Coordinates of all heavy atoms in Angstrom, one line a residue:
M1 N -42.6 -3.8 -110.2 CA -41.7 -4.5 -111.1 C -42.4 -4.9 -112.4 O -43.5 -5.3 -112.4 CB -41.1 -5.7 -110.4 CG -40.1 -5.5 -109.3 SD -39.3 -7.0 -108.9 CE -38.0 -6.3 -107.9
D2 N -41.6 -4.7 -113.5 CA -42.1 -5.1 -114.8 C -41.5 -6.4 -115.2 O -40.3 -6.6 -115.1 CB -41.8 -4.0 -115.8 CG -42.5 -2.7 -115.5 OD1 -43.6 -2.7 -115.1 OD2 -41.8 -1.7 -115.7
L3 N -42.4 -7.3 -115.7 CA -41.9 -8.6 -116.2 C -41.4 -8.4 -117.7 O -42.1 -7.8 -118.5 CB -43.1 -9.6 -116.2 CG -42.7 -11.0 -116.8 CD1 -41.6 -11.7 -116.1 CD2 -44.0 -11.9 -116.9
T4 N -40.3 -9.0 -118.0 CA -39.7 -9.0 -119.3 C -39.0 -10.3 -119.5 O -39.0 -11.2 -118.6 CB -38.9 -7.8 -119.6 OG1 -38.5 -7.7 -121.0 CG2 -37.6 -7.8 -118.7
H5 N -38.3 -10.5 -120.6 CA -37.4 -11.6 -120.8 C -36.1 -11.1 -121.4 O -36.1 -10.1 -122.0 CB -38.1 -12.6 -121.8 CG -39.2 -13.4 -121.2 ND1 -40.5 -12.8 -120.9 CD2 -39.3 -14.6 -120.8 CE1 -41.2 -13.7 -120.4 NE2 -40.6 -14.8 -120.3
G6 N -35.1 -11.9 -121.3 CA -33.8 -11.5 -121.8 C -32.8 -12.6 -121.7 O -33.1 -13.7 -121.3
S7 N -31.6 -12.3 -122.0 CA -30.4 -13.2 -122.0 C -29.5 -12.8 -120.8 O -29.4 -11.6 -120.5 CB -29.6 -13.1 -123.3 OG -30.4 -13.5 -124.4
V8 N -28.8 -13.8 -120.3 CA -27.8 -13.6 -119.3 C -26.5 -13.9 -120.0 O -26.3 -14.9 -120.6 CB -28.0 -14.5 -118.1 CG1 -26.9 -14.4 -117.1 CG2 -29.3 -14.3 -117.4
L9 N -25.5 -12.9 -119.9 CA -24.3 -13.0 -120.6 C -23.1 -13.0 -119.6 O -23.2 -12.4 -118.5 CB -24.1 -11.8 -121.5 CG -25.3 -11.5 -122.5 CD1 -25.1 -10.1 -123.0 CD2 -25.4 -12.5 -123.5
L10 N -22.1 -13.7 -120.0 CA -20.8 -13.6 -119.3 C -19.8 -13.2 -120.3 O -19.5 -13.9 -121.2 CB -20.4 -14.9 -118.6 CG -19.1 -15.0 -117.8 CD1 -19.2 -14.0 -116.7 CD2 -18.8 -16.3 -117.3
G11 N -19.3 -11.9 -120.2 CA -18.6 -11.3 -121.3 C -19.5 -11.2 -122.5 O -20.6 -10.7 -122.4
D12 N -19.1 -11.7 -123.6 CA -19.9 -11.7 -124.8 C -20.6 -13.0 -125.0 O -21.4 -13.2 -126.0 CB -19.1 -11.4 -126.1 CG -18.6 -9.9 -126.1 OD1 -19.3 -9.1 -125.5 OD2 -17.5 -9.7 -126.6
R13 N -20.4 -14.0 -124.1 CA -21.0 -15.3 -124.3 C -22.4 -15.4 -123.6 O -22.5 -15.0 -122.4 CB -20.1 -16.4 -123.7 CG -20.5 -17.8 -124.0 CD -19.5 -18.7 -123.4 NE -19.7 -18.7 -121.9 CZ -19.3 -19.6 -121.1 NH1 -18.5 -20.6 -121.5 NH2 -19.5 -19.5 -119.8
E14 N -23.4 -15.8 -124.4 CA -24.7 -16.0 -123.8 C -24.8 -17.3 -123.1 O -24.6 -18.4 -123.6 CB -25.7 -16.0 -125.0 CG -27.2 -16.1 -124.5 CD -28.2 -16.0 -125.6 OE1 -28.3 -17.0 -126.3 OE2 -28.8 -14.9 -125.8
L15 N -25.1 -17.2 -121.8 CA -25.2 -18.4 -120.9 C -26.6 -18.9 -120.9 O -26.9 -20.1 -120.9 CB -24.8 -18.1 -119.5 CG -23.3 -17.6 -119.3 CD1 -23.1 -17.2 -117.8 CD2 -22.3 -18.7 -119.7
L16 N -27.6 -18.0 -120.8 CA -29.0 -18.3 -120.8 C -29.8 -17.4 -121.7 O -29.4 -16.2 -121.8 CB -29.5 -18.2 -119.4 CG -28.8 -19.0 -118.3 CD1 -29.4 -18.5 -116.9 CD2 -29.0 -20.5 -118.5
S17 N -30.8 -17.9 -122.4 CA -31.6 -17.1 -123.2 C -33.1 -17.2 -122.8 O -33.5 -18.1 -122.2 CB -31.4 -17.5 -124.7 OG -31.9 -18.8 -124.9
D18 N -33.8 -16.2 -123.2 CA -35.3 -16.1 -122.9 C -35.6 -16.4 -121.5 O -36.6 -17.1 -121.2 CB -36.0 -17.0 -123.9 CG -37.5 -16.7 -124.0 OD1 -37.8 -15.5 -124.0 OD2 -38.3 -17.6 -124.1
V19 N -34.9 -15.7 -120.6 CA -35.1 -15.9 -119.1 C -36.1 -14.9 -118.7 O -36.0 -13.7 -118.9 CB -33.7 -15.6 -118.4 CG1 -33.9 -15.6 -116.9 CG2 -32.7 -16.6 -118.8
P20 N -37.2 -15.4 -117.9 CA -38.1 -14.4 -117.4 C -37.4 -13.6 -116.2 O -36.7 -14.2 -115.4 CB -39.3 -15.3 -116.8 CG -38.8 -16.7 -116.9 CD -37.5 -16.7 -117.7
M21 N -37.6 -12.3 -116.2 CA -37.0 -11.5 -115.2 C -37.9 -10.3 -114.9 O -38.6 -9.8 -115.8 CB -35.6 -11.1 -115.6 CG -35.5 -10.3 -116.9 SD -33.8 -9.9 -117.3 CE -33.2 -11.5 -118.0
Y22 N -37.8 -9.9 -113.7 CA -38.5 -8.7 -113.3 C -37.5 -7.6 -113.1 O -36.5 -7.8 -112.5 CB -39.3 -8.9 -112.0 CG -40.5 -9.8 -112.1 CD1 -40.4 -11.2 -112.0 CD2 -41.8 -9.2 -112.4 CE1 -41.6 -11.9 -112.2 CE2 -42.9 -10.0 -112.5 CZ -42.8 -11.3 -112.4 OH -43.9 -12.1 -112.6
I23 N -37.9 -6.4 -113.6 CA -37.0 -5.2 -113.5 C -37.7 -4.1 -112.7 O -38.9 -3.8 -113.0 CB -36.6 -4.7 -114.8 CG1 -35.9 -5.8 -115.7 CG2 -35.7 -3.4 -114.7 CD1 -34.5 -6.2 -115.2
S24 N -37.1 -3.5 -111.7 CA -37.6 -2.4 -111.0 C -36.6 -1.3 -111.1 O -35.4 -1.5 -110.9 CB -37.8 -2.8 -109.5 OG -38.3 -1.7 -108.8
A25 N -37.1 -0.1 -111.5 CA -36.1 1.0 -111.8 C -36.7 2.4 -111.6 O -37.9 2.5 -111.6 CB -35.7 0.9 -113.2
S26 N -35.8 3.3 -111.4 CA -36.2 4.7 -111.4 C -36.6 5.1 -112.8 O -36.3 4.3 -113.8 CB -35.1 5.6 -110.9 OG -33.9 5.5 -111.7
S27 N -37.2 6.2 -113.1 CA -37.7 6.5 -114.4 C -36.6 6.6 -115.5 O -36.9 6.4 -116.6 CB -38.5 7.8 -114.3 OG -37.6 8.9 -113.9
D28 N -35.4 6.9 -115.1 CA -34.3 7.0 -116.1 C -33.4 5.8 -116.1 O -32.3 5.8 -116.7 CB -33.6 8.3 -115.9 CG -33.0 8.5 -114.5 OD1 -33.2 7.5 -113.6 OD2 -32.5 9.5 -114.2
Y29 N -33.7 4.7 -115.3 CA -32.9 3.5 -115.3 C -31.5 3.7 -114.8 O -30.5 3.0 -115.2 CB -32.9 2.8 -116.6 CG -34.2 2.1 -116.9 CD1 -35.2 2.8 -117.6 CD2 -34.6 0.9 -116.3 CE1 -36.4 2.2 -117.9 CE2 -35.8 0.3 -116.5 CZ -36.7 1.0 -117.3 OH -38.0 0.5 -117.5
V30 N -31.3 4.8 -113.9 CA -30.0 5.0 -113.3 C -29.8 4.0 -112.2 O -28.8 3.4 -112.0 CB -29.8 6.4 -112.9 CG1 -28.5 6.6 -112.1 CG2 -29.8 7.3 -114.1
K31 N -30.8 3.9 -111.3 CA -30.8 3.0 -110.2 C -31.9 1.9 -110.5 O -33.1 2.2 -110.7 CB -31.2 3.7 -108.9 CG -31.0 2.8 -107.7 CD -31.2 3.7 -106.4 CE -30.9 2.7 -105.2 NZ -30.9 3.4 -104.0
W32 N -31.5 0.7 -110.6 CA -32.4 -0.4 -111.0 C -31.9 -1.7 -110.4 O -30.8 -1.9 -109.9 CB -32.5 -0.5 -112.5 CG -31.2 -0.7 -113.2 CD1 -30.2 0.2 -113.4 CD2 -30.7 -1.9 -113.7 NE1 -29.2 -0.4 -114.1 CE2 -29.5 -1.7 -114.3 CE3 -31.3 -3.2 -113.8 CZ2 -28.7 -2.7 -114.9 CZ3 -30.5 -4.2 -114.4 CH2 -29.3 -4.0 -114.9
G33 N -32.8 -2.7 -110.4 CA -32.5 -4.1 -110.0 C -33.7 -5.0 -110.3 O -34.5 -4.6 -111.1
G34 N -33.7 -6.2 -109.8 CA -34.7 -7.1 -110.1 C -34.4 -8.5 -109.7 O -33.6 -8.8 -108.8
C35 N -35.0 -9.4 -110.4 CA -34.8 -10.9 -110.1 C -35.0 -11.7 -111.4 O -35.8 -11.4 -112.3 CB -35.6 -11.4 -109.0 SG -37.4 -11.4 -109.3
L36 N -34.2 -12.8 -111.5 CA -34.3 -13.7 -112.5 C -35.1 -14.9 -112.0 O -34.9 -15.3 -110.8 CB -32.9 -14.2 -113.0 CG -31.9 -13.2 -113.4 CD1 -30.6 -13.9 -113.6 CD2 -32.4 -12.5 -114.6
H37 N -36.0 -15.5 -112.8 CA -36.8 -16.7 -112.4 C -36.3 -17.9 -113.2 O -36.4 -17.9 -114.4 CB -38.3 -16.5 -112.6 CG -38.9 -15.5 -111.6 ND1 -39.5 -16.0 -110.5 CD2 -38.8 -14.2 -111.5 CE1 -39.9 -14.9 -109.8 NE2 -39.5 -13.8 -110.4
L38 N -35.7 -18.8 -112.5 CA -35.1 -20.0 -113.2 C -35.5 -21.3 -112.5 O -35.8 -21.3 -111.3 CB -33.5 -19.9 -113.2 CG -32.9 -18.6 -113.7 CD1 -31.4 -18.6 -113.4 CD2 -33.2 -18.5 -115.2
N39 N -35.4 -22.4 -113.2 CA -35.6 -23.7 -112.5 C -34.2 -24.0 -111.9 O -33.2 -23.5 -112.4 CB -36.2 -24.8 -113.4 CG -35.3 -25.3 -114.5 OD1 -34.1 -25.4 -114.3 ND2 -35.8 -25.5 -115.6
K40 N -34.2 -24.8 -110.9 CA -33.0 -25.1 -110.2 C -31.8 -25.6 -111.1 O -30.7 -25.2 -110.9 CB -33.3 -26.2 -109.1 CG -32.2 -26.5 -108.2 CD -31.9 -25.4 -107.2 CE -30.9 -26.0 -106.1 NZ -30.7 -25.0 -105.1
Q41 N -32.2 -26.5 -112.0 CA -31.1 -27.1 -112.9 C -30.5 -26.0 -113.8 O -29.3 -26.0 -113.9 CB -31.8 -28.2 -113.8 CG -30.8 -28.9 -114.6 CD -31.4 -30.0 -115.4 OE1 -32.6 -30.1 -115.4 NE2 -30.6 -30.8 -116.0
I42 N -31.3 -25.1 -114.3 CA -30.7 -24.1 -115.2 C -29.9 -23.1 -114.3 O -28.8 -22.6 -114.8 CB -31.8 -23.3 -115.9 CG1 -32.4 -24.3 -117.0 CG2 -31.3 -22.0 -116.6 CD1 -33.6 -23.7 -117.7
S43 N -30.3 -22.8 -113.1 CA -29.6 -21.8 -112.3 C -28.2 -22.3 -112.0 O -27.3 -21.5 -111.7 CB -30.4 -21.6 -111.0 OG -30.3 -22.7 -110.1
E44 N -28.0 -23.6 -112.0 CA -26.6 -24.1 -111.7 C -25.6 -23.8 -112.8 O -24.4 -24.0 -112.6 CB -26.7 -25.6 -111.4 CG -27.5 -25.9 -110.2 CD -27.9 -27.4 -110.0 OE1 -27.6 -28.2 -110.9 OE2 -28.4 -27.7 -108.9
R45 N -26.0 -23.3 -113.9 CA -25.1 -22.9 -115.0 C -24.4 -21.6 -114.6 O -23.4 -21.2 -115.2 CB -25.8 -22.6 -116.3 CG -26.4 -23.9 -116.9 CD -27.1 -23.6 -118.2 NE -27.9 -24.7 -118.6 CZ -28.7 -24.6 -119.6 NH1 -28.8 -23.5 -120.3 NH2 -29.5 -25.7 -119.9
L46 N -24.9 -20.9 -113.6 CA -24.4 -19.6 -113.1 C -23.5 -19.8 -111.9 O -24.0 -20.3 -110.9 CB -25.5 -18.6 -112.9 CG -26.4 -18.3 -114.0 CD1 -27.5 -17.3 -113.6 CD2 -25.7 -17.8 -115.2
H47 N -22.2 -19.5 -112.0 CA -21.3 -19.8 -110.8 C -20.8 -18.6 -110.2 O -20.2 -18.7 -109.1 CB -20.2 -20.7 -111.3 CG -20.6 -22.0 -111.9 ND1 -21.1 -23.0 -111.1 CD2 -20.7 -22.5 -113.1 CE1 -21.4 -24.1 -111.8 NE2 -21.2 -23.8 -113.0
G48 N -20.9 -17.4 -110.8 CA -20.4 -16.2 -110.2 C -21.5 -15.3 -109.7 O -22.6 -15.7 -109.5
T49 N -21.1 -14.0 -109.6 CA -22.1 -13.1 -109.1 C -22.3 -11.9 -110.1 O -23.4 -11.3 -110.1 CB -21.7 -12.4 -107.8 OG1 -20.4 -11.8 -107.9 CG2 -21.7 -13.5 -106.7
D50 N -21.3 -11.7 -111.0 CA -21.4 -10.5 -111.9 C -21.6 -11.0 -113.3 O -20.9 -11.8 -113.9 CB -20.2 -9.7 -111.8 CG -20.0 -9.0 -110.5 OD1 -20.9 -9.1 -109.7 OD2 -19.0 -8.2 -110.3
Y51 N -22.7 -10.5 -113.9 CA -23.1 -10.9 -115.3 C -23.6 -9.6 -116.0 O -23.8 -8.6 -115.4 CB -24.2 -11.9 -115.3 CG -23.8 -13.2 -114.6 CD1 -24.1 -13.4 -113.3 CD2 -23.1 -14.2 -115.3 CE1 -23.7 -14.6 -112.7 CE2 -22.7 -15.3 -114.7 CZ -23.0 -15.6 -113.4 OH -22.6 -16.7 -112.8
R52 N -24.0 -9.8 -117.3 CA -24.7 -8.8 -118.0 C -26.0 -9.4 -118.4 O -26.1 -10.6 -118.6 CB -23.9 -8.4 -119.3 CG -22.6 -7.7 -119.0 CD -22.0 -7.0 -120.2 NE -21.9 -7.9 -121.3 CZ -21.9 -7.5 -122.6 NH1 -21.9 -6.2 -122.9 NH2 -21.8 -8.3 -123.6
I53 N -27.0 -8.5 -118.6 CA -28.3 -9.0 -119.1 C -28.6 -8.2 -120.4 O -28.2 -7.0 -120.5 CB -29.5 -8.9 -118.1 CG1 -29.6 -7.5 -117.6 CG2 -29.3 -9.9 -117.0 CD1 -30.9 -7.3 -116.8
R54 N -29.2 -8.8 -121.4 CA -29.7 -8.1 -122.6 C -31.2 -8.4 -122.7 O -31.6 -9.5 -122.8 CB -29.0 -8.6 -123.8 CG -29.5 -7.8 -125.1 CD -28.9 -8.3 -126.4 NE -27.4 -8.2 -126.3 CZ -26.6 -9.3 -126.5 NH1 -27.1 -10.5 -126.7 NH2 -25.3 -9.1 -126.5
L55 N -32.0 -7.3 -122.5 CA -33.4 -7.5 -122.6 C -33.9 -7.5 -124.0 O -33.2 -7.2 -125.0 CB -34.1 -6.3 -121.9 CG -33.7 -6.1 -120.4 CD1 -34.4 -4.9 -119.8 CD2 -33.8 -7.3 -119.6
R56 N -35.1 -8.1 -124.2 CA -35.7 -8.2 -125.6 C -35.7 -6.9 -126.3 O -35.6 -6.9 -127.6 CB -37.1 -8.7 -125.5 CG -37.2 -10.2 -125.2 CD -38.7 -10.6 -125.2 NE -38.8 -12.0 -125.0 CZ -39.9 -12.6 -124.8 NH1 -41.0 -11.9 -124.7 NH2 -40.0 -13.9 -124.6
D57 N -35.8 -5.8 -125.6 CA -35.9 -4.5 -126.3 C -34.6 -3.9 -126.6 O -34.5 -2.7 -127.1 CB -36.8 -3.5 -125.5 CG -36.2 -3.1 -124.2 OD1 -35.0 -3.5 -123.9 OD2 -36.8 -2.4 -123.4
G58 N -33.5 -4.6 -126.3 CA -32.1 -4.2 -126.7 C -31.4 -3.5 -125.6 O -30.2 -3.2 -125.7
R59 N -32.0 -3.3 -124.4 CA -31.3 -2.7 -123.3 C -30.3 -3.7 -122.8 O -30.6 -4.9 -122.7 CB -32.2 -2.2 -122.2 CG -33.0 -1.0 -122.6 CD -34.0 -0.6 -121.5 NE -35.1 -1.5 -121.4 CZ -35.9 -1.6 -120.4 NH1 -35.9 -0.7 -119.4 NH2 -36.9 -2.5 -120.5
L60 N -29.1 -3.2 -122.4 CA -28.0 -4.0 -121.9 C -27.6 -3.4 -120.5 O -27.4 -2.2 -120.4 CB -26.9 -4.0 -122.9 CG -25.7 -4.9 -122.6 CD1 -26.1 -6.3 -122.7 CD2 -24.6 -4.5 -123.6
G61 N -27.3 -4.3 -119.6 CA -26.8 -3.8 -118.3 C -26.0 -4.8 -117.5 O -26.1 -6.0 -117.8
E62 N -25.2 -4.3 -116.6 CA -24.4 -5.1 -115.8 C -25.2 -5.4 -114.5 O -25.8 -4.5 -114.0 CB -23.1 -4.4 -115.4 CG -22.2 -4.0 -116.6 CD -21.4 -5.1 -117.2 OE1 -21.1 -6.0 -116.4 OE2 -21.2 -5.0 -118.4
I63 N -25.1 -6.6 -114.0 CA -25.8 -7.0 -112.8 C -24.9 -7.7 -111.8 O -23.9 -8.3 -112.2 CB -27.1 -7.9 -113.0 CG1 -26.7 -9.2 -113.6 CG2 -28.1 -7.1 -113.9 CD1 -27.9 -10.2 -113.6
R64 N -25.3 -7.6 -110.5 CA -24.6 -8.4 -109.5 C -25.7 -9.2 -108.7 O -26.6 -8.6 -108.2 CB -23.8 -7.5 -108.6 CG -23.2 -8.2 -107.4 CD -22.1 -7.4 -106.7 NE -21.0 -7.2 -107.6 CZ -20.3 -6.1 -107.7 NH1 -20.7 -5.0 -106.9 NH2 -19.4 -5.9 -108.5
I65 N -25.5 -10.5 -108.7 CA -26.4 -11.3 -107.9 C -26.2 -11.1 -106.5 O -25.1 -11.2 -106.0 CB -26.2 -12.8 -108.3 CG1 -26.3 -13.1 -109.8 CG2 -27.2 -13.7 -107.5 CD1 -27.6 -12.9 -110.4
R66 N -27.3 -10.8 -105.7 CA -27.2 -10.5 -104.3 C -27.7 -11.6 -103.4 O -27.3 -11.8 -102.3 CB -28.0 -9.2 -104.0 CG -27.3 -8.0 -104.5 CD -26.0 -7.8 -103.7 NE -25.4 -6.6 -104.0 CZ -24.1 -6.3 -103.7 NH1 -23.4 -7.3 -103.2 NH2 -23.6 -5.2 -103.9
K67 N -28.7 -12.3 -103.9 CA -29.3 -13.4 -103.1 C -30.0 -14.4 -104.0 O -30.5 -14.1 -105.0 CB -30.4 -12.7 -102.2 CG -31.0 -13.6 -101.1 CD -31.9 -12.9 -100.2 CE -32.4 -13.8 -99.1 NZ -33.3 -13.1 -98.2
V68 N -29.9 -15.7 -103.5 CA -30.6 -16.8 -104.2 C -31.7 -17.3 -103.3 O -31.4 -17.6 -102.1 CB -29.6 -17.9 -104.5 CG1 -30.3 -19.1 -105.2 CG2 -28.5 -17.4 -105.4
V69 N -32.9 -17.3 -103.8 CA -34.1 -17.7 -103.0 C -34.7 -19.0 -103.7 O -35.1 -18.9 -104.8 CB -35.1 -16.6 -102.9 CG1 -36.3 -17.1 -102.1 CG2 -34.5 -15.4 -102.3
N70 N -34.7 -20.1 -102.9 CA -35.3 -21.3 -103.4 C -36.8 -21.2 -103.2 O -37.3 -20.8 -102.1 CB -34.8 -22.5 -102.7 CG -33.4 -22.8 -103.0 OD1 -33.0 -22.9 -104.2 ND2 -32.5 -23.0 -102.0
T71 N -37.6 -21.6 -104.2 CA -39.0 -21.5 -104.1 C -39.6 -22.8 -104.6 O -38.9 -23.6 -105.2 CB -39.6 -20.3 -105.0 OG1 -39.3 -20.6 -106.4 CG2 -39.0 -19.0 -104.5
N72 N -40.9 -23.0 -104.4 CA -41.7 -24.1 -104.9 C -40.9 -25.5 -104.6 O -40.6 -26.2 -105.5 CB -41.9 -24.0 -106.4 CG -42.9 -24.9 -107.0 OD1 -43.7 -25.5 -106.2 ND2 -42.9 -25.1 -108.3
G73 N -40.7 -25.7 -103.3 CA -40.0 -26.9 -102.9 C -38.6 -27.1 -103.5 O -38.2 -28.2 -103.8
S74 N -37.9 -26.0 -103.7 CA -36.6 -25.9 -104.2 C -36.5 -26.3 -105.7 O -35.4 -26.6 -106.1 CB -35.6 -26.8 -103.3 OG -35.6 -26.3 -102.0
L75 N -37.6 -26.4 -106.4 CA -37.5 -26.7 -107.8 C -37.2 -25.4 -108.6 O -36.7 -25.5 -109.8 CB -38.9 -27.3 -108.3 CG -39.2 -28.6 -107.6 CD1 -40.6 -29.0 -108.1 CD2 -38.2 -29.7 -108.0
H76 N -37.5 -24.3 -108.1 CA -37.3 -23.0 -108.8 C -36.5 -22.1 -107.9 O -36.5 -22.2 -106.7 CB -38.6 -22.3 -109.2 CG -39.4 -23.1 -110.2 ND1 -40.3 -24.1 -109.8 CD2 -39.4 -23.1 -111.5 CE1 -40.8 -24.6 -110.9 NE2 -40.3 -24.0 -112.0
V77 N -35.8 -21.2 -108.6 CA -34.9 -20.3 -107.9 C -35.2 -18.9 -108.4 O -35.4 -18.6 -109.6 CB -33.4 -20.7 -108.2 CG1 -32.4 -19.7 -107.6 CG2 -33.1 -22.0 -107.7
E78 N -35.1 -17.9 -107.5 CA -35.2 -16.5 -107.8 C -33.8 -16.0 -107.5 O -33.3 -16.1 -106.3 CB -36.2 -15.7 -107.0 CG -37.6 -16.1 -107.4 CD -38.6 -15.3 -106.6 OE1 -38.2 -14.4 -105.7 OE2 -39.8 -15.5 -106.8
L79 N -33.1 -15.4 -108.4 CA -31.8 -14.7 -108.2 C -32.1 -13.2 -108.2 O -32.4 -12.6 -109.2 CB -30.9 -15.1 -109.4 CG -30.5 -16.6 -109.4 CD1 -30.7 -17.1 -110.8 CD2 -29.1 -16.7 -109.0
L80 N -32.0 -12.7 -107.0 CA -32.2 -11.2 -106.8 C -30.9 -10.5 -107.2 O -29.8 -10.9 -106.8 CB -32.5 -10.9 -105.4 CG -33.7 -11.7 -104.8 CD1 -34.0 -11.4 -103.3 CD2 -35.0 -11.5 -105.6
F81 N -31.0 -9.4 -108.0 CA -29.8 -8.7 -108.4 C -30.0 -7.2 -108.3 O -31.1 -6.7 -108.2 CB -29.4 -9.1 -109.9 CG -30.5 -8.7 -110.9 CD1 -30.5 -7.5 -111.4 CD2 -31.4 -9.7 -111.4 CE1 -31.5 -7.1 -112.4 CE2 -32.3 -9.4 -112.3 CZ -32.4 -8.1 -112.8
E82 N -28.8 -6.5 -108.4 CA -28.8 -5.1 -108.5 C -28.1 -4.7 -109.8 O -27.2 -5.4 -110.2 CB -28.2 -4.4 -107.3 CG -26.7 -4.6 -107.2 CD -26.0 -3.9 -106.0 OE1 -26.7 -3.3 -105.2 OE2 -24.8 -4.0 -105.9
G83 N -28.6 -3.6 -110.4 CA -27.9 -3.1 -111.6 C -26.7 -2.4 -111.2 O -26.7 -1.6 -110.2
L84 N -25.7 -2.5 -112.0 CA -24.4 -1.8 -111.8 C -24.3 -0.8 -113.0 O -24.1 -1.2 -114.1 CB -23.2 -2.7 -111.8 CG -23.3 -3.9 -110.8 CD1 -22.1 -4.8 -111.1 CD2 -23.3 -3.4 -109.4
G85 N -24.5 0.5 -112.7 CA -24.4 1.5 -113.8 C -25.8 1.6 -114.4 O -26.8 1.1 -113.9
R86 N -25.9 2.1 -115.6 CA -27.1 2.4 -116.3 C -27.6 1.1 -117.1 O -26.8 0.3 -117.5 CB -27.0 3.6 -117.3 CG -26.8 4.9 -116.6 CD -26.8 6.0 -117.5 NE -28.0 6.2 -118.2 CZ -29.0 7.0 -117.9 NH1 -28.9 7.7 -116.8 NH2 -30.1 7.0 -118.6
L87 N -28.9 1.1 -117.3 CA -29.5 0.1 -118.2 C -29.9 0.8 -119.4 O -30.8 1.6 -119.5 CB -30.8 -0.5 -117.5 CG -31.5 -1.6 -118.3 CD1 -30.6 -2.8 -118.5 CD2 -32.8 -2.0 -117.5
D88 N -29.0 0.6 -120.5 CA -29.2 1.4 -121.7 C -29.3 0.5 -122.9 O -29.0 -0.7 -122.9 CB -27.9 2.2 -121.9 CG -27.9 3.5 -121.0 OD1 -28.9 4.1 -120.9 OD2 -26.8 3.9 -120.6
V89 N -29.7 1.1 -124.0 CA -29.8 0.4 -125.3 C -28.4 0.2 -125.8 O -27.6 1.1 -125.7 CB -30.6 1.2 -126.3 CG1 -30.6 0.6 -127.7 CG2 -32.0 1.4 -125.8
E90 N -28.1 -1.0 -126.2 CA -26.8 -1.4 -126.7 C -26.5 -0.6 -128.0 O -27.4 -0.5 -128.8 CB -26.8 -2.9 -126.9 CG -25.5 -3.5 -127.4 CD -25.5 -5.0 -127.5 OE1 -26.6 -5.6 -127.5 OE2 -24.4 -5.6 -127.6
A91 N -25.3 -0.2 -128.2 CA -24.9 0.5 -129.4 C -25.2 -0.4 -130.6 O -24.8 -1.6 -130.6 CB -23.4 0.9 -129.3
G92 N -25.9 0.1 -131.6 CA -26.2 -0.6 -132.8 C -27.5 -1.4 -132.7 O -28.0 -1.9 -133.6
A93 N -28.1 -1.4 -131.5 CA -29.4 -2.1 -131.3 C -30.6 -1.3 -131.6 O -31.6 -1.8 -131.9 CB -29.5 -2.7 -129.9
A94 N -30.4 0.0 -131.6 CA -31.6 0.9 -131.8 C -31.9 1.1 -133.3 O -31.1 0.9 -134.1 CB -31.3 2.3 -131.1

């Protein structure tokens, strides 16, 4: 898994920015997934399961949260997700 940072979006609205996340993918980013690393308080801003992420390099993808794992005495949360569709560069970002 590769560490990067990005934003979590609901529609076009940015819910979280500069979120550390790990991405694991096939070489062409057709099948991919990963996890978001958040503190417990920030994670409570997310109430659903389907979001979009925008990585620092401009890639944009749809994700579905599959599991929430409490870590570090429940102070931090890992949100495990799978990618829905391709992880591609957003039109106009390149």
Side-chain angles (χ1 to χ4, degrees):
M1 285 193 169
D2 295 323
L3 175 63
T4 188
H5 287 75
S7 299
V8 177
L9 311 165
L10 183 58
D12 290 329
R13 189 178 71 163
E14 183 178 74
L15 300 176
L16 304 172
S17 64
D18 200 34
V19 174
M21 57 183 79
Y22 286 89
I23 304 288
S24 178
S26 61
S27 61
D28 54 4
Y29 289 95
V30 172
K31 186 172 183 171
W32 59 282
C35 63
L36 307 173
H37 286 262
L38 306 171
N39 70 41
K40 182 78 169 180
Q41 186 177 9
I42 290 175
S43 73
E44 292 171 354
R45 295 182 194 171
L46 304 178
H47 298 288
T49 58
D50 292 358
Y51 299 95
R52 294 190 314 152
I53 56 171
R54 181 182 301 120
L55 305 181
R56 283 183 178 168
D57 65 6
R59 288 179 289 169
L60 184 70
E62 304 281 332
I63 65 168
R64 176 165 294 141
I65 305 296
R66 287 295 190 197
K67 186 174 184 180
V68 177
V69 179
N70 291 312
T71 62
N72 194 18
S74 297
L75 297 176
H76 293 89
V77 174
E78 291 181 3
L79 293 129
L80 307 179
F81 64 82
E82 69 177 3
L84 306 174
R86 292 184 64 91
L87 180 61
D88 281 323
V89 175
E90 184 176 14

